[in-house]
Amino acid sequence: MANFILRNAEPKDVSDILRLIKELAKFEEMEEQVVLTEKELLEDGFGDHPFYHCVVAEVPREKQSEEGYTVVGFAMYYFTYDPWIGKLLYLEDFYVMKEFRGYGIGSEILKLLSERAVKTRCSSMHFIVAEWNKPSIEFYKRRGASDLSLEEGWRLFEINKQSLLKMSAK
Amino acid sequence: MAHYKLRKAEPEDVTDILRLIKELAKIVEKEDQVMLTEKDLLEDGFGEHPFYHCIVAEVPAEQQKVEGYSVIGFAMYYFTYDPWIGKLLYLEDFFVMKEYRCLGIGSEILKNLSVTALKSGCNSMHFIVAQSNEASINFYKRRGALDLSLAEGWRLFRIDKQCLLNLSAEE
């Protein structure tokens, strides 16, 4: 069984965080859409006002991945606000390297985030999942997640930078 | 034409903010699901670490159409993070009282938020809309909004408090 620890990400982890973000994007065939840099991750996550938080899963050196990595999983989250019930924990990205699956790392990460959500008095945890991602949907449903898009008809919209520029110039 | 101004919400505005949150919830017949109190809004929005930001639309006393209220619209937003592109502005709630619609207040609010988003280095604005809310969907589409749920298949999920408690207690 794999030994691993979960800990809060530190500034030195930004290369591994970016690597794992890209690995997850690759799985969704969107790797070229990752334009974030290590510098931005550093400023945005470890400055005066962090825009995100990260926990990482780390294995000891002797258990490192084929390519020599010891940081083998991560979850990126932040706090959002529901005008009916207040603070929520929003799970943005969540990934464990393929060769380290099946050891309960994902479950431990979710358990840690659940504890954190309860400790910070959040009413719920929210996240989005692509409708084709059946394994993830099952993983979350087994832990009590409900599909609000199905139940309540919510759809996610985006106004991109181009349109923001247009509106602000009007 | 109505005179109004948009400004950042202040601690004194929490009563009006809660009133408008409830008015918006009433439209979807969910007023009884609003659990938040003025005290929560005060602590969460105006403490050391704000969990949300608000702008409000205010009319002068002589323009009040509904007795006693000068704050007649609001938008609640916060900053989120996309691991591919970085900072985003997330529009959480957005409402103008019925009596003050079609005066361009909604458009001005959205413009104000666009300026805020760009100034803060955000790459996009995100928000959710109920698929039954065609009027809002069209309002946003006219301003360039793209339905990511339709285009990319995203579905919003929730793990509620009871399940969080169960998960955190698991051996």
Side-chain angles (χ1 to χ4, degrees):
Chain A
M1 174 156 104
N3 288 339
F4 65 92
I5 58 156
L6 297 186
R7 59 173 177 79
N8 283 337
E10 288 154 33
K12 63 182 168 96
D13 293 316
V14 293
S15 342
D16 283 300
I17 294 170
L18 188 57
R19 169 179 59 84
L20 294 170
I21 286 172
K22 287 180 170 172
E23 249 185 68
L24 177 49
K26 196 170 181 180
F27 164 69
E28 298 171 6
E29 290 168 11
M30 304 259 203
E31 199 187 352
E32 75 284 358
Q33 293 204 29
V34 180
V35 298
L36 214 53
T37 63
E38 284 180 24
K39 181 171 179 285
E40 282 161 335
L41 275 171
L42 196 62
E43 281 171 8
D44 297 340
F46 299 95
D48 267 345
H49 173 89
F51 285 85
Y52 71 86
H53 306 279
C54 244
V55 294
V56 295
E58 190 170 39
V59 296
R61 197 116 308 274
E62 58 274 16
K63 299 275 184 189
Q64 67 191 17
S65 76
E66 264 178 42
E67 287 141 335
Y69 298 125
T70 53
V71 172
V72 302
F74 86 115
M76 176 186 274
Y77 67 96
Y78 41 81
F79 296 97
T80 60
Y81 204 75
D82 182 308
W84 297 358
I85 53 176
K87 286 181 291 195
L88 306 178
L89 188 145
Y90 190 90
L91 176 55
E92 176 62 54
D93 242 14
F94 179 15
Y95 178 73
V96 175
M97 288 171 70
K98 214 162 93 171
E99 56 193 287
F100 292 89
R101 303 229 185 112
Y103 296 112
I105 297 179
S107 297
E108 274 307 301
I109 290 177
L110 207 59
K111 176 179 172 172
L112 180 80
L113 294 177
S114 304
E115 281 167 4
R116 216 157 265 198
V118 171
K119 266 203 189 122
T120 45
R121 291 181 298 113
C122 293
S123 301
S124 277
M125 186 189 299
H126 277 200
F127 47 91
I128 56 174
V129 191
E131 65 195 355
W132 49 259
N133 191 346
K134 301 269 183 270
S136 291
I137 292 177
E138 291 310 308
F139 175 90
Y140 293 121
K141 280 189 160 171
R142 276 197 298 272
R143 286 153 181 81
S146 35
D147 182 342
L148 295 184
S149 285
L150 202 62
E151 292 174 20
E152 300 177 8
W154 294 110
R155 298 242 281 261
L156 177 66
F157 277 73
E158 167 194 71
I159 297 183
N160 67 18
K161 197 161 188 174
Q162 195 58 41
S163 302
L164 292 178
L165 282 161
K166 253 173 129 173
M167 270 198 287
S168 55
K170 268 203 193 147
Chain B
M1 175 155 106
H3 292 289
Y4 66 92
K5 64 167 187 181
L6 297 186
R7 58 170 177 79
K8 275 201 169 114
E10 287 154 27
E12 310 80 78
D13 293 316
V14 293
T15 314
D16 284 302
I17 294 170
L18 188 57
R19 170 178 59 84
L20 295 170
I21 287 171
K22 286 180 172 172
E23 252 188 71
L24 178 49
K26 199 169 179 181
I27 290 178
V28 294
E29 291 167 10
K30 303 252 186 168
E31 200 186 350
D32 53 312
Q33 292 199 29
V34 179
M35 301 299 170
L36 223 48
T37 63
E38 286 178 24
K39 182 169 178 284
D40 293 326
L41 278 171
L42 196 62
E43 280 171 10
D44 297 339
F46 299 94
E48 246 185 71
H49 173 91
F51 285 87
Y52 70 88
H53 306 279
C54 244
I55 52 174
V56 294
E58 189 172 38
V59 296
E62 61 272 19
Q63 300 259 345
Q64 284 173 14
K65 292 186 193 199
V66 181
E67 197 171 311
Y69 299 137
S70 56
V71 171
I72 52 83
F74 85 116
M76 176 185 274
Y77 67 95
Y78 40 81
F79 295 97
T80 59
Y81 205 75
D82 182 307
W84 299 356
I85 55 177
K87 286 180 288 196
L88 304 178
L89 186 145
Y90 190 90
L91 176 56
E92 177 58 56
D93 242 14
F94 181 13
F95 179 71
V96 175
M97 285 170 71
K98 217 164 80 172
E99 297 83 354
Y100 293 89
R101 305 249 176 96
C102 299
L103 296 167
I105 298 178
S107 297
E108 271 308 299
I109 289 177
L110 211 56
K111 175 178 172 173
N112 184 298
L113 292 173
S114 304
V115 171
T116 299
L118 293 165
K119 271 203 185 125
S120 328
C122 295
N123 289 291
S124 268
M125 186 190 298
H126 277 199
F127 47 92
I128 54 175
V129 191
Q131 65 193 37
S132 56
N133 190 348
E134 281 180 37
S136 291
I137 290 176
N138 290 333
F139 174 90
Y140 293 120
K141 280 188 162 172
R142 277 197 299 273
R143 287 152 180 81
L146 172 66
D147 182 343
L148 294 182
S149 285
L150 202 63
E152 298 177 7
W154 295 111
R155 298 239 283 259
L156 176 66
F157 278 71
R158 171 187 65 199
I159 297 183
D160 68 23
K161 192 146 192 190
Q162 192 53 56
C163 294
L164 292 179
L165 285 161
N166 293 342
L167 283 169
S168 50
E170 254 176 29
E171 283 302 306

